[in-house]
Amino acid sequence: MEAGKYWNPVIETLPREKLQQLQLAKFKKIFSWTYERSKFHHKLYSDAGIEPGDIRTFNDIRKVPKVEKSMMRTIQGKDPYPYGDMLCVPLEKVTEYHQTSGTTGQPVYQPDTWQDWEWFAEAWAYILYAQGYRDYDRVFLPFGYNIFIAFWGAHYGAEKLGCEVIPGGVLNTEARILEMQELRATAFMATPTYVLGMADVAKRKLGIDPAKELQIKRITVAGEPGGSIPATKKRMEEGWGAKVYDHIGATEIGAWGYECIYQCGLHVNEILFLVEIEDIDSGELITEPGRRGRMVVTALDRIAQPCIRFDSKDIIEWSPDECGCGRTFRLIKGGVTGRTDDIIKVKGVLLAPTLIEEVVRDIPELSDEYEVLVTKKGDLDDIRLKVELIPGQQNSIETIRTRLIDQLRIKTNLGYNLEFHEYGTLPRYDIKAKRFKDLRPKE
Ligand SMILES: [Zn+2]
């Protein structure tokens, strides 16, 4: 049965002033919890001359030192093994183990207690309810159930809502599609790369048009920026005949941001998380819309390995809009538009790889795949962009070339060497794609 609009009608419509009071109260609580229990945090805060009594107002939160992933790596691997000095509960209270993928270095271990795990499911319940999931949905989860957190929280969140959950773990893509068809699944979750990849496999290998022959109505995407890139989102929605909603989270943070059915940006779940945006250079707090900065985030209720003022390296900005759904949770505009780690300098120009995705996916004659290689030729940077024409478009190659060059110039301010490849020849990825390769020698 269709219930109300909100998972928690009181919390999701709280006046902002009330919401901030609650955030401050919760921040104080998690701060003293951590100060008293984590040797790592105790030292970090003592060295900065700050203790729980010093947090009185919202502005005082800004005095609390930030934590970076690299700091977490250095304390792990020690007793209580393997979590080290950050663990705030007795080791026997830990019930869940996950780890980060380690794409940017040594993986970080993530312990959670059962209370933390219920909190994770609750965060996902907010997300899924806002995206129209209800107890009559049959939700298929086509991900490898393993040490990576991926959609584990979504599994429990969907069950909390009363959905029927199908764990599509150790199956190949074809088997997953056939299972979704046979069981008439109404929703699923995956990375944008896999959502597009599944549609492609369904059509090419199974002769199934997902938009017509499956009953998927909603798809939640995460793990890559595609859900907030309009051209990629359009491809996914058309391919599946379904609505696609973006979600952002991370192993060491939790499930903090989500699109609702109005699709006008990502709400920050401000009852469970405190998100601050800082100017990338000056570190100044950004509260107004229209200025991009780096996200500093606090999980207000996670207790085993707390996440307090974590420098996520994600680049976001506040949206000037209010969402039609009536939630008072603030919106961020256009999702995570990049990471401070991702933005690179090519030919002296700052380039966010998502901009290239936006251009390529907006040209319907090109396939979903592309590859960008940055190399050095002599003293000069060279950017090679490989794209695939979809079958039957050979005659329009020159028009497409001109359009690509123009759009890339407008969006990124850079020139590219273009290569057109035959359909199906560029690498395909199952989960997260590595389409952008910086092959220049490290200086
Ligand atoms: Zn909304």
Side-chain angles (χ1 to χ4, degrees):
M1 263 182 46
E2 191 72 35
K5 275 160 77 177
Y6 310 110
W7 173 245
N8 187 326
V10 176
I11 292 293
E12 290 174 73
T13 54
L14 268 187
R16 291 209 51 81
E17 199 181 309
K18 281 252 160 51
L19 197 53
Q20 289 200 336
Q21 282 169 11
L22 275 173
Q23 285 184 311
L24 177 60
K26 282 181 153 209
F27 188 93
K28 286 183 189 173
K29 202 172 158 196
I30 194 74
F31 184 80
S32 19
W33 164 271
T34 310
Y35 182 84
E36 284 156 20
R37 288 168 180 81
S38 154
K39 286 184 204 151
F40 163 81
H41 286 91
H42 194 94
K43 180 169 186 320
L44 180 72
Y45 299 150
S46 302
D47 289 352
I50 189 161
E51 55 175 39
D54 297 332
I55 314 281
R56 292 182 206 92
T57 67
F58 224 77
N59 283 337
D60 293 333
I61 294 175
R62 308 269 310 144
K63 298 178 200 155
V64 175
K66 286 177 278 189
V67 171
E68 285 185 31
K69 209 182 219 174
S70 57
M71 297 156 98
M72 296 172 78
R73 282 192 199 107
T74 57
I75 58 146
Q76 296 196 324
K78 299 179 190 129
D79 285 335
Y81 194 82
Y83 306 112
D85 283 349
M86 211 182 255
L87 192 67
C88 289
V89 294
L91 196 55
E92 60 271 24
K93 292 287 176 203
V94 175
T95 60
E96 311 296 321
Y97 171 85
H98 298 93
Q99 66 175 56
T100 60
S101 60
T103 42
T104 51
Q106 185 69 17
V108 170
Y109 308 131
Q110 181 64 49
D112 283 301
T113 63
W114 185 249
Q115 182 185 320
D116 287 326
W117 200 237
E118 288 187 326
W119 162 86
F120 220 113
E122 176 72 1
W124 267 98
Y126 275 96
I127 298 167
L128 298 175
Y129 204 86
Q131 297 177 345
Y133 289 69
R134 293 295 182 270
D135 55 7
Y136 45 72
D137 273 302
R138 184 170 287 155
V139 182
F140 192 87
L141 283 170
F143 80 101
Y145 283 73
N146 58 19
I147 49 173
F148 303 124
I149 211 152
F151 293 98
W152 270 111
H155 181 117
Y156 288 85
E159 288 183 341
K160 193 166 183 178
L161 249 67
C163 300
E164 183 181 334
V165 178
I166 309 166
V170 195
L171 297 172
N172 68 18
T173 303
E174 281 109 311
R176 283 169 171 166
I177 294 162
L178 293 172
E179 197 78 21
M180 282 161 78
Q181 184 180 37
E182 185 192 333
L183 297 173
R184 299 181 189 164
T186 58
F188 76 96
M189 304 171 200
T191 59
T193 288
Y194 198 51
V195 171
L196 291 172
M198 282 174 96
D200 193 47
V201 167
K203 280 186 206 139
R204 281 190 301 119
K205 295 199 177 155
L206 300 169
I208 293 174
D209 179 352
K212 296 202 177 80
E213 294 168 75
L214 270 76
Q215 304 194 17
I216 298 296
K217 300 200 171 47
R218 52 196 137 258
I219 301 169
T220 303
V221 292
E224 294 176 326
S228 288
I229 295 177
T232 300
K233 186 180 208 130
K234 186 162 173 268
R235 280 184 182 231
M236 291 191 280
E237 292 195 328
E238 287 176 0
W240 285 89
K243 283 284 177 192
V244 169
Y245 304 110
D246 201 8
H247 151 61
I248 311 185
T251 316
E252 59 282 49
I253 304 168
W256 61 268
Y258 58 94
E259 229 177 347
C260 72
I261 53 168
Y262 287 80
Q263 296 179 308
C264 48
L266 285 116
H267 288 284
V268 174
N269 185 332
E270 291 180 293
I271 198 63
L272 303 183
F273 299 90
L274 172 67
V275 164
E276 302 163 73
I277 307 179
E278 287 188 345
D279 186 275
I280 294 167
D281 299 319
S282 68
E284 176 201 350
L285 183 70
I286 299 173
T287 53
E288 74 279 17
R291 259 175 80 194
R292 303 206 303 165
R294 64 162 76 195
M295 177 174 84
V296 176
V297 60
T298 301
L300 296 166
D301 307 87
R302 203 174 191 180
I303 60 167
Q305 180 167 283
C307 168
I308 299 179
R309 300 207 76 224
F310 180 69
D311 181 356
S312 74
K313 316 272 185 211
D314 289 324
I315 298 174
I316 57 173
E317 67 180 273
W318 293 117
S319 166
D321 303 326
E322 274 180 38
C323 190
C325 70
R327 281 181 182 77
T328 45
F329 289 172
R330 223 171 157 183
L331 287 172
I332 60 167
K333 187 182 167 189
V336 168
T337 44
R339 291 172 54 79
T340 46
D341 289 348
D342 291 344
I343 291 186
I344 55 159
K345 213 172 223 185
V346 189
K347 301 181 188 181
V349 175
L350 288 177
L351 170 67
T354 47
L355 294 173
I356 301 173
E357 173 171 338
E358 231 173 281
V359 172
V360 173
R361 295 267 171 85
D362 203 28
I363 298 179
E365 292 87 356
L366 296 176
S367 87
D368 297 330
E369 286 306 332
Y370 63 93
E371 191 167 63
V372 187
L373 302 175
V374 182
T375 52
K376 200 131 199 142
K377 286 194 174 154
D379 281 342
L380 301 172
D381 291 334
D382 177 76
I383 323 175
R384 205 166 352 139
L385 171 61
K386 301 179 180 182
V387 293
E388 284 180 356
L389 280 179
I390 58 168
Q393 296 295 340
Q394 209 54 37
N395 291 337
S396 36
I397 192 162
E398 284 318 311
T399 331
I400 297 165
R401 185 190 298 277
T402 314
R403 196 167 156 207
L404 258 177
I405 289 172
D406 288 350
Q407 285 302 313
L408 287 165
R409 174 73 65 193
I410 293 167
K411 288 251 161 86
T412 70
N413 224 354
L414 287 163
Y416 297 72
N417 284 318
L418 293 184
E419 274 180 22
F420 286 87
H421 288 251
E422 206 174 308
Y423 182 72
T425 55
L426 290 179
R428 259 61 181 166
Y429 299 89
D430 267 358
I431 308 173
K432 290 196 196 186
K434 286 195 181 61
R435 300 190 178 94
F436 190 91
K437 293 171 185 159
D438 187 352
L439 306 174
R440 292 172 296 181
K442 298 261 177 287
E443 277 162 24

